[in-house]
Amino acid sequence: MALVNVTINGIPVQAENGSLLIEVARQNGIEIPAFCYYEGMSLQAACRMCLVEVEKAPKLMAGCTLPVAEGMVVRTESEPVVKARKTTLEFLLSNHPLDCPVCDKGGECELQDMTFKYGVGESRFTEVKQHVPEKQWSPVVFYDAPRCILCYRCVRVCNEGMGVGALGISYRGVNAEIIPSHGDHLECDECGSCIDICPVGSLTSGIYRYKTRPWEMEHVGTVCTHCSNGCKTTLGVRNNEIVRGNNRDKSGINGEFLCVKGRYAFDFTQHPERLQTPLVRNEAGELEPASWSRALKLVAEKFKALAGPEFGVIGSTRTTNEENYLLQKFARTALGTHSIDHHRTGDVVTLIDALSGKTGQLAALEDLYTSKAVLVVASDLAQQHPLLAGKIRANFRHHKAAVYAVTPGPVREDKIARRSIRIAEADSLAGVEQLREALAKETELVIVFGDAIQGDKVRQLVAFGESLGIPVKYIALVDYANSRGALDMGLLPGLAPGYHAAAPGRSLQQMLDDSSLAALWVVGANPLKGGRKLAASGAFVVVQDLFLTETAQRADVVLPAASAYEKNGTVTNVCGQVQRLKKGVETVGAKTDLAIIGLLARGMGVNLGKVDADAVFHEIAASVPGYNQLPMPVILTGGAAQTHPVNGGVPASLVPGLIASARDTLFTTGSLTRYSKILNEVLEKPGALYR
Amino acid sequence: MTFSPELEAKFADLITHYPEGRQRAALIPMLMFGQEEVGSITNEFMNEVARRLGLTPMQVDEVVGYYSMLHKKPMGKYHVQVCTNVACMLRGGAELYDQACHKLGLGHKEVSADGLVSLEEVECMGACSWAPAVQVNFDFHHEVTADQLDTILEGLKK
Amino acid sequence: MKLFNEPSPLETKIISFRFGLENSASIDTYLANDGYQALRKALAMTPDDIINEVKASNLRGRGGAGFPTGMKWSFVPRASEKPKYIVVNADESEPGTCKDRLLIQHDPHQLIEGCLLGALAVGAKKGWVYIRGEYNYLIHIMDKAIAEAYKHGFLGKNIGGTDFSFDLYTHTGAGAYECGEESALLESLEGKRGVPRIRPPFPAVSGAFQSPTLLNNVETFSSVPAILRMGGQAYADLGVPKSGGTRLVCMSGHVNKPGVYEVPLGFPMMKFINEIGGGVWKGRALKAVIPGGSSSPLLKAEECDIPMDYDSIAKAGSMLGSGGLMVMDETTDMVKVALRIMRFYQHESCGWCIPCREGTTWLKKMLQRVSDGHGQTRDIDLIGDLAQNMMGRTFCPLGDAAAMPTIAIVKKYRNEFEEYVARNPFATPELVSIA
């Protein structure tokens, strides 16, 4: 696009013809204040804060809707502009309650900031203010109409950003206010984006309200532990308690996006049933509290005695890469077993095998936002992978991306899709085939597929993609925060870290079914969930977990583990992007799985090298293919870097039939969310499209 | 929800007035004409209109809240509207409104206990040159005097 | 239908000449009185010829803004692939204005013919007459006229045996002054809240259903048949340079013969009040005139000796606006007038933008307090200042419409505000800022 010359405050700048003045100014370090203007969302021109002086224009112009043109001369801080800003603030404050001392937003309120910067210190308003009582719309959303400045950000983020459209505007004039989807209450994703984006304290969060002042919190940037999308979340921590989750600073791959889980479901860390001391089964057959030293000594002795091929290890989809790496290293070397597995939820292994010899075909999250076309196969993304769904919506909104969906039931992508095909999951490939003609006309494509596509179907899908004759990238969906890391780190029978062939061993199901199993070590998993039984009744079972899960109840020793919010390390998201966890809080009595593994090794006299997260990560970076080219500065500063795994020889013995997604919704992720009080309160009909 | 055959026919015709895929355009006429029959904009009515036009009930609610002639609560069988805007005010509109308040014992947007009459102080309704003006439902009364207002209001009691 | 007021012999009846004829709304009466003659003529003309004729007429928009109609017509892109639409703004809501009502009531076919001429000029195939909800009875009149026009082949397919086709429908509003603003009207037409759109694009490029749309006031469209019949130049000559033709002026307030009268642009205002309106009532003296609907700044009696055309009234500091001329006699309480005007705009503010939503509310509260006898001296300046702070800063012209008359009244009748304050026993001396 052609460049034009514009003068802003006497400074000559160049900008793309037709781009918005407010953006051009920002790019050149000049802030034009605004409430309603919000990057990436539709234009409103409602707040009038961005009025600027444009030479030859008869009156002040709104910078948020003004396209720049050649020779335009703009003043953003001239006397008429400053006066207009002051008076707009005066108008806004005339009916604003000014209850800042008790308002959650105080200290990080945009209206407060603007008033400090541009406002007058004295009020000329002596009339009675319009008062409306506060309303509660859901367990997590409260609306205080008098504080509302009607910038319509919440309406837009819900409709445009989330694709839900649960917020509207009713009444008019000074009585105009935001209304929820169902008369007096909300039925929605409960994602809280509306609360987050509210520039004032009009929308407040049911769990954060009246808890703290923003400046009394520590802000810890880490990664959400609930699903595989890997949203960066900034935990607000006060007195060793997480009181808020958001990503207001837009750091990370998700920008400011968070779903209900990321925003609220950190409260499992505070659950009263959280394990805070090791438990050891006594002679009466009951689990009784024990000291860490006694429990570790007991486990180390037993492990030493039982080490060998009859030892089973089940790893986690939520523990860090470092923990996973160390666990398999410990198992394969010190414990002498190759029976190691985890709950597999997507067939990444076959995808990597099918893409042997090709590079750059594993899509990163950003590809969903930039690709000209996206095909979703056999997954309800909005429920199971909210960030991925959000990126696709943004791509459609900003770039008019062509979206296709092949799913068994209605999905949110239908609203933006060029074509949606309803077909049973088992027949997904036939559905995809129906789109051949349309897809072949696209110039590039990202295919996102769920667990219904596994084994040979993955190969067939890749063959289909290759036959289109256009560049195609793939995402094999997996469920949990570090599902991908568990695969990458070789928590698999017959596959070592980096998808390299290793000696064969038992799968998870085989371990459960094998009555000759001598010991089972379960780290952060719950394989006995749903009434499943361990066939080896005499096996010595050690479980590391946050809660006394079904599996932990069967254990001989239970070791209380720290959650992802309580440790450092790295996790890898569904697209293979590595990000860093940062410890936010500490739970008394619990230890990180990494520390537990290290202590057990020491107890057994095994040297695993230096056991801390950084040291193990460097070992991973040095030795695991795919992880050896990661740009360290990006990860260390809280960014995300994509791994590039290559096929190191996937054994045919790794049958894909054991892969099963848990089909979680926005309101469930198995064991963690069971212990989230807030998530249970907002539970909606899974999969509902809220019509 | 069912409507009279006449209203159904009107709705069916209305939908055809707008370009394909733009049937939402029929929303306000449907609400206005439907209100005459239903009596007010009830939740059931809003949901029905939403269903027919492929909107969410909230989208209908947004619109209903905006327009001053769409009432969520039923007005009286006779809805008396007295204009007090400038042109009418200059010729006694405000006094007429006071008179109506006293005579009916009602205030702005209030409905009589028997549901027969309701009163509203309205903005300019386009009868400025024949002020002061009163509208009962959709019937205009021009150059209304105090006596005429009495007669009009008494006529409603039958 | 009978006339609401007696016509005046001083009128120049170009678009209102059928008012008062027997069954004036019927197509038979219309056809017997030059009806659809302009259409016949236009069917043989090129779109450019039609637009040039309108341009030559110096017709300016009769809704309030007074934009040159021919120019507006020429903005509709001829080559657009999208369908093009005609929309008639019959959301007549500006206080003081009641002329469009008569044009539809007495002569709906003239409006239909005007729409047809617009459609021919821009290539539109469909149109709507957006009628304010309060004018319910006009919908029935208009629907009946539309049905007659279809029956006579003036609407529908192959009009006049040509390949020109045009469908016209009525569309009801539901009570919102804001929908008189053209982009808000289009939102309302699409079944949404009547909140204005961001402009540009203007309706001519992206209007109804995001298609090019020719949107004009009832009176504007109703004037076009006469223009084509008599010729643009002849029509222009009726008025003054830059303000062509005649228009309906709605006289209300303190006059002996209020009513809607058609006069040429440039007709002297005092002659209009005294000779057509029969002078100020009850033998009283004239105090002030609101010349063009309540949003136009009022003129003091001594400022009223001017011709009624767009430029002359603008020069006097006001606007011809929508043609709603409100006359006030010497007894008129200007504080009450200011309050009533602000109450209206506060009630009708859509709430979209801050200065209008909050400004009208604050001003209403202050004016109410002053009018209730609780005013302070500082309030008077503050009223003027707040109104000034709304001017030119709102999302649509409603903010200006509320601010302009307020500024004028406070400036021209400050003494009356001071009298109110003086009667407040609790008026306090001016506060001194300690800051």
Side-chain angles (χ1 to χ4, degrees):
Chain A
M1 207 177 236
L3 290 178
V4 292
N5 296 295
V6 182
T7 309
I8 307 177
N9 298 344
I11 304 161
V13 301
Q14 282 202 323
E16 269 183 21
N17 191 14
S19 51
L20 297 173
L21 175 67
I22 195 166
E23 280 300 326
V24 173
R26 274 181 198 184
Q27 283 150 17
N28 288 282
I30 297 163
E31 194 206 3
I32 300 177
F35 290 114
C36 71
Y37 176 76
Y38 206 86
E39 195 188 349
M41 292 203 292
S42 61
L43 302 177
Q44 313 287 291
C47 77
R48 319 308 286 171
M49 278 300 289
C50 68
L51 293 179
V52 294
E53 202 179 346
V54 181
E55 250 177 36
K56 289 182 193 130
K59 56 181 187 178
L60 300 180
M61 308 285 281
C64 70
T65 51
L66 185 68
V68 294
E70 179 60 41
M72 195 179 258
V73 179
V74 180
R75 280 182 283 273
T76 73
E77 297 291 339
S78 64
E79 196 253 317
V81 173
V82 171
K83 176 149 196 279
R85 243 172 236 165
K86 268 193 179 25
T87 59
T88 300
L89 282 169
E90 183 181 36
F91 281 135
L92 253 190
L93 293 173
S94 71
N95 211 34
H96 196 76
L98 302 178
D99 55 351
C100 311
V102 295
C103 176
D104 277 349
K105 207 73 176 189
E108 52 185 18
C109 170
E110 292 180 38
L111 178 57
Q112 215 175 35
D113 293 348
M114 293 238 202
T115 306
F116 268 88
K117 194 163 178 189
Y118 302 108
V120 284
E122 204 174 311
S123 172
R124 299 190 288 177
F125 184 83
T126 53
E127 317 304 322
V128 177
K129 297 196 183 205
Q130 176 111 348
H131 182 74
V132 192
E134 191 186 32
K135 301 173 187 82
Q136 180 173 12
W137 286 342
S138 87
V140 290
V141 185
F142 286 72
Y143 176 62
D144 190 28
R147 286 181 188 161
C148 181
I149 62 170
L150 291 168
C151 64
Y152 319 110
R153 283 189 198 175
C154 54
V155 175
R156 285 174 286 160
V157 79
C158 190
N159 191 26
E160 301 168 20
M162 300 306 298
V164 173
L167 294 175
I169 312 150
S170 194
Y171 313 111
R172 73 177 185 216
V174 76
N175 299 313
E177 60 178 50
I178 306 300
I179 55 166
S181 58
H182 286 67
D184 59 353
H185 71 281
L186 271 172
E187 284 177 28
C188 66
D189 283 3
E190 304 284 1
C191 68
S193 299
C194 52
I195 300 168
D196 202 34
I197 207 167
C198 181
V200 295
S202 183
L203 288 160
T204 50
S205 151
I207 57 168
Y208 171 74
R209 64 205 314 258
Y210 303 134
K211 273 210 171 155
T212 182
R213 313 296 310 192
W215 58 85
E216 291 170 337
M217 291 187 287
E218 269 184 84
H219 301 278
V220 182
T222 187
V223 181
C224 174
T225 187
H226 286 286
C227 84
S228 64
N229 293 184
C231 292
K232 174 101 183 279
T233 175
T234 305
L235 302 175
V237 178
R238 189 191 177 199
N239 298 337
N240 198 40
E241 185 190 348
I242 305 170
V243 289
R244 185 170 80 178
N246 71 16
N247 204 37
R248 213 57 219 123
D249 61 2
K250 301 187 187 180
S251 58
I253 50 176
N254 49 314
E256 64 202 308
F257 181 96
L258 280 181
C259 76
V260 60
K261 289 187 240 185
R263 204 177 300 282
Y264 304 118
F266 47 73
D267 58 340
F268 68 88
T269 59
Q270 294 281 328
H271 197 278
E273 288 175 30
R274 193 70 199 274
L275 295 174
Q276 286 181 282
T277 176
L279 303 170
V280 173
R281 199 167 292 280
N282 61 20
E283 281 164 16
E286 289 162 354
L287 286 171
E288 66 174 18
S291 70
W292 269 103
S293 56
R294 189 184 145 215
L296 287 169
K297 189 158 175 271
L298 175 69
V299 174
E301 280 168 8
K302 278 288 210 177
F303 275 14
K304 204 162 184 178
L306 299 171
E310 304 308 316
F311 202 111
V313 177
I314 296 174
S316 174
T317 52
R318 287 194 305 263
T319 49
T320 64
N321 288 325
E322 293 73 16
E323 290 165 338
N324 294 346
Y325 178 83
L326 207 64
L327 179 66
Q328 64 80 32
K329 181 177 170 186
F330 188 38
R332 287 186 163 118
T333 57
L335 296 176
T337 182
H338 297 292
S339 296
I340 181 162
D341 202 356
H342 72 285
H343 173 203
R344 289 176 248 157
T345 54
D347 200 355
V348 179
V349 175
T350 310
L351 178 64
I352 285 170
D353 189 36
L355 293 175
S356 285
K358 305 182 176 81
T359 52
Q361 287 192 275
L362 293 169
L365 193 68
E366 215 42 32
D367 290 318
L368 291 176
Y369 178 65
T370 55
S371 177
K372 297 267 189 292
V374 179
L375 166 64
V376 180
V377 184
S379 178
D380 187 349
L381 284 188
Q383 287 291 323
Q384 292 162 26
H385 299 276
L387 175 61
L388 272 55
K391 289 282 177 194
I392 295 172
R393 281 194 299 274
N395 192 3
F396 172 77
R397 212 164 72 244
H398 296 154
H399 312 132
K400 297 188 169 65
V403 178
Y404 302 88
V406 177
T407 57
V411 289
R412 201 171 293 165
E413 285 73 43
D414 292 345
K415 269 197 250 177
I416 55 171
R418 288 243 173 115
R419 267 186 80 188
S420 286
I421 292 190
R422 283 293 95 78
I423 197 159
E425 281 195 352
D427 304 323
S428 295
L429 289 178
V432 171
E433 192 60 46
Q434 290 179 37
L435 295 172
R436 176 179 287 279
E437 212 178 313
L439 293 176
K441 286 190 190 132
E442 302 293 347
T443 52
E444 57 177 348
L445 180 67
V446 176
I447 303 180
V448 185
F449 59 93
D451 69 331
I453 307 295
Q454 50 178 283
D456 274 347
K457 285 186 176 169
V458 176
R459 296 177 208 283
Q460 288 163 28
L461 185 64
V462 169
F464 172 84
E466 299 304 292
S467 72
L468 292 174
I470 56 170
V472 182
K473 291 184 180 186
Y474 303 87
I475 297 174
L477 295 170
V478 289
D479 282 6
Y480 300 110
N482 207 21
S483 279
R484 181 64 188 269
L487 293 160
D488 289 357
M489 292 303 124
L491 295 186
L492 289 166
L495 265 189
Y499 304 94
H500 271 246
R506 294 179 190 81
S507 70
L508 190 151
Q509 193 58 48
Q510 285 166 334
M511 286 184 244
L512 297 185
D513 294 343
D514 189 346
S515 56
S516 63
L517 203 70
L520 182 65
W521 183 16
V522 181
V523 177
N526 188 14
L528 301 187
K529 187 179 169 185
R532 289 205 283 177
K533 290 275 181 296
L534 182 64
S537 54
F540 177 71
V541 179
V542 175
V543 173
Q544 294 172 204
D545 211 317
L546 279 70
F547 298 99
L548 198 63
T549 61
E550 289 88 336
T551 311
Q553 287 170 37
R554 162 63 187 84
D556 296 285
V557 179
V558 182
L559 301 173
S563 75
Y565 297 143
E566 296 156 345
K567 59 187 163 195
N568 294 320
T570 63
V571 288
T572 307
N573 81 349
V574 63
C575 299
Q577 290 165 290
V578 179
Q579 297 179 89
R580 200 179 191 208
L581 287 182
K582 206 170 163 198
K583 179 173 171 175
V585 289
E586 199 150 4
T587 294
V588 176
K591 290 185 192 301
T592 66
D593 294 292
L594 194 78
I596 296 170
I597 295 166
L599 289 167
L600 287 175
R602 192 195 295 174
M604 289 170 69
V606 175
N607 182 10
L608 286 176
K610 195 178 173 196
V611 180
D612 78 36
D614 285 351
V616 179
F617 183 64
H618 281 107
E619 189 177 333
I620 293 170
S623 63
V624 179
Y627 281 68
N628 46 9
Q629 289 164 353
L630 292 178
M632 285 304 193
V634 172
I635 295 173
L636 294 177
T637 51
Q642 198 187 14
T643 60
H644 300 284
V646 289
N647 184 6
V650 175
S653 64
L654 195 71
V655 283
L658 295 167
I659 295 166
S661 162
R663 308 299 165 99
D664 283 312
T665 71
L666 278 173
F667 305 100
T668 61
T669 23
S671 48
L672 285 188
T673 48
R674 268 199 277 167
Y675 294 96
S676 167
K677 185 166 161 272
I678 200 73
L679 221 49
N680 284 299
E681 281 176 16
V682 300
L683 196 67
E684 299 279 345
K685 249 189 263 168
L689 289 174
Y690 320 121
R691 296 295 283 188
Chain B
M1 190 175 189
T2 52
F3 304 105
S4 67
E6 296 77 32
L7 191 56
E8 282 291 358
K10 189 149 199 160
F11 284 174
D13 181 46
L14 265 176
I15 299 279
T16 67
H17 292 185
Y18 307 97
E20 194 57 40
R22 302 303 201 125
Q23 272 56 42
R24 178 182 181 152
L27 176 60
I28 293 164
M30 280 174 82
L31 291 170
M32 278 292 276
F33 297 136
Q35 179 174 251
E36 284 183 62
E37 182 170 304
V38 180
S40 65
I41 310 288
T42 62
N43 280 337
E44 192 192 6
F45 180 35
M46 279 200 279
N47 292 344
E48 178 65 18
V49 173
R51 191 185 62 74
R52 292 185 183 205
L53 296 178
L55 301 171
T56 65
M58 185 194 75
Q59 287 174 313
V60 177
D61 207 354
E62 287 183 288
V63 168
V64 170
Y66 184 87
Y67 294 95
S68 60
M69 293 179 74
L70 299 173
H71 304 289
K72 283 194 184 178
K73 291 196 185 111
M75 289 292 130
K77 183 182 171 195
Y78 299 105
H79 186 46
V80 179
Q81 300 144 83
V82 184
C83 175
T84 63
N85 206 309
V86 182
C88 285
M89 181 184 90
L90 292 173
R91 294 181 81 97
E95 289 77 11
L96 279 187
Y97 175 66
D98 283 345
Q99 186 189 337
C101 286
H102 285 114
K103 181 132 185 125
L104 297 171
L106 298 173
H108 179 59
K109 285 198 181 175
E110 286 182 356
V111 189
S112 64
D114 59 3
L116 189 73
V117 189
S118 53
L119 180 64
E120 185 177 354
E121 180 184 9
V122 294
E123 295 300 348
C124 182
M125 50 196 186
C128 316
S129 291
W130 318 287
V134 172
Q135 226 186 358
V136 179
N137 297 338
F138 289 122
D139 296 330
F140 276 98
H141 298 269
H142 292 152
E143 296 172 23
V144 179
T145 63
D147 289 346
Q148 282 170 342
L149 180 66
D150 277 344
T151 313
I152 293 167
L153 296 181
E154 277 153 23
L156 306 178
K157 302 247 156 96
K158 278 174 235 151
Chain C
M1 201 175 273
K2 77 168 184 63
L3 292 177
F4 295 150
N5 58 269
E6 284 302 310
S8 161
L10 294 172
E11 288 183 75
T12 306
K13 288 176 150 305
I14 303 297
I15 61 170
S16 65
F17 77 94
R18 295 182 200 88
F19 291 15
L21 296 178
E22 186 118 352
N23 291 326
S24 67
S26 75
I27 195 162
D28 294 333
T29 307
Y30 191 64
L31 287 170
N33 293 278
D34 300 342
Y36 293 111
Q37 293 304 319
L39 175 68
R40 282 179 216 289
K41 200 167 161 188
L43 281 169
M45 292 164 73
T46 67
D48 281 332
D49 289 345
I50 299 173
I51 292 174
N52 286 336
E53 208 64 57
V54 176
K55 277 184 176 166
S57 76
N58 279 344
L59 175 65
R60 290 171 66 167
R62 303 296 195 225
F67 192 82
T69 305
M71 202 186 291
K72 193 170 186 176
W73 287 26
S74 66
F75 289 159
V76 177
R78 214 68 63 75
S80 171
E81 281 174 21
K82 291 181 175 174
K84 283 165 260 180
Y85 299 121
I86 299 285
V87 175
V88 181
N89 185 344
D91 189 60
E92 180 170 66
S93 308
E94 179 72 22
T97 320
C98 48
K99 62 188 175 59
D100 297 338
R101 192 180 148 193
L102 297 188
L103 284 166
I104 294 178
Q105 177 173 322
H106 295 306
D107 205 348
H109 283 284
Q110 180 171 248
L111 175 59
I112 295 172
E113 190 174 8
C115 293
L116 286 162
L117 300 174
L120 274 173
V122 302
K125 301 260 179 300
K126 214 187 243 291
W128 296 270
V129 184
Y130 182 104
I131 301 176
R132 68 180 297 195
E134 291 85 346
Y135 286 175
N136 180 280
Y137 78 106
L138 293 185
I139 292 174
H140 301 294
I141 293 173
M142 198 70 218
D143 279 342
K144 195 175 159 213
I146 288 173
E148 284 178 329
Y150 270 104
K151 212 171 136 202
H152 283 75
F154 294 115
L155 284 173
K157 294 202 186 318
N158 304 110
I159 294 165
T162 67
D163 57 2
F164 170 57
S165 301
F166 185 70
D167 289 310
L168 187 65
Y169 307 98
T170 54
H171 182 101
T172 180
Y177 167 75
E178 182 60 9
C179 293
E181 194 282 334
E182 60 182 13
S183 66
L185 183 146
L186 292 170
E187 285 288 290
S188 183
L189 176 70
E190 292 183 17
K192 299 173 191 161
R193 295 164 59 80
V195 171
R197 295 175 178 172
I198 294 168
R199 285 144 297 138
F202 289 94
V205 175
S206 178
F209 310 105
Q210 286 67 53
S211 292
T213 299
L214 186 58
L215 199 164
N216 280 122
N217 173 259
V218 172
E219 188 182 352
T220 313
F221 275 120
S222 293
S223 301
V224 181
I227 290 169
L228 284 209
R229 274 197 322 271
M230 66 200 291
Q233 192 55 52
Y235 179 86
D237 291 344
L238 291 167
V240 292
K242 288 196 197 166
S243 291
T246 59
R247 73 174 298 178
L248 297 177
V249 180
C250 321
M251 184 157 28
S252 63
H254 299 153
V255 287
N256 282 313
K257 289 193 278 182
V260 177
Y261 304 99
E262 185 174 3
V263 290
L265 271 293
F267 196 89
M269 190 182 290
M270 287 315 297
K271 185 176 175 187
F272 186 73
I273 294 169
N274 289 329
E275 295 180 26
I276 296 182
V280 178
W281 73 351
K282 300 180 183 173
R284 292 180 188 155
L286 179 68
K287 181 170 182 176
V289 169
I290 293 176
S294 69
S295 60
S296 58
L298 56 62
L299 300 171
K300 293 176 93 161
E302 58 267 34
E303 297 169 313
C304 292
D305 203 3
I306 50 172
M308 291 193 291
D309 61 77
Y310 294 92
D311 300 327
S312 303
I313 295 190
K315 216 171 126 196
S318 190
M319 310 184 307
L320 186 52
S322 58
L325 184 123
M326 292 185 269
V327 177
M328 290 176 250
D329 73 18
E330 55 190 324
T331 68
T332 310
D333 182 335
M334 288 303 170
V335 175
K336 300 275 188 236
V337 171
L339 168 64
R340 192 63 192 82
I341 289 175
M342 192 51 69
R343 274 182 59 197
F344 171 73
Y345 290 106
Q346 194 271 343
H347 183 260
E348 300 299 339
S349 168
C350 78
W352 185 255
C353 75
I354 293 165
C356 175
R357 177 178 79 232
E358 305 296 344
T360 54
T361 304
W362 188 350
L363 281 165
K364 184 193 90 165
K365 286 175 178 172
M366 286 190 77
L367 286 161
Q368 185 72 57
R369 190 161 49 76
V370 172
S371 158
D372 288 347
H374 307 301
Q376 304 283 353
T377 308
R378 62 177 176 275
D379 292 336
I380 305 170
D381 284 334
L382 186 50
I383 290 168
D385 195 37
L386 292 179
Q388 197 63 53
N389 289 345
M390 287 167 64
M391 277 296 289
R393 299 191 190 153
T394 52
F395 182 58
C396 83
L398 194 146
D400 293 353
M404 286 185 296
T406 309
I407 292 168
I409 295 176
V410 173
K411 195 170 136 206
K412 294 180 182 178
Y413 296 97
R414 190 184 173 87
N415 61 319
E416 296 194 25
F417 287 82
E418 284 166 350
E419 282 162 27
Y420 265 87
V421 172
R423 288 200 293 273
N424 176 9
F426 302 107
T428 54
E430 284 307 280
L431 294 176
V432 178
S433 173
I434 54 167

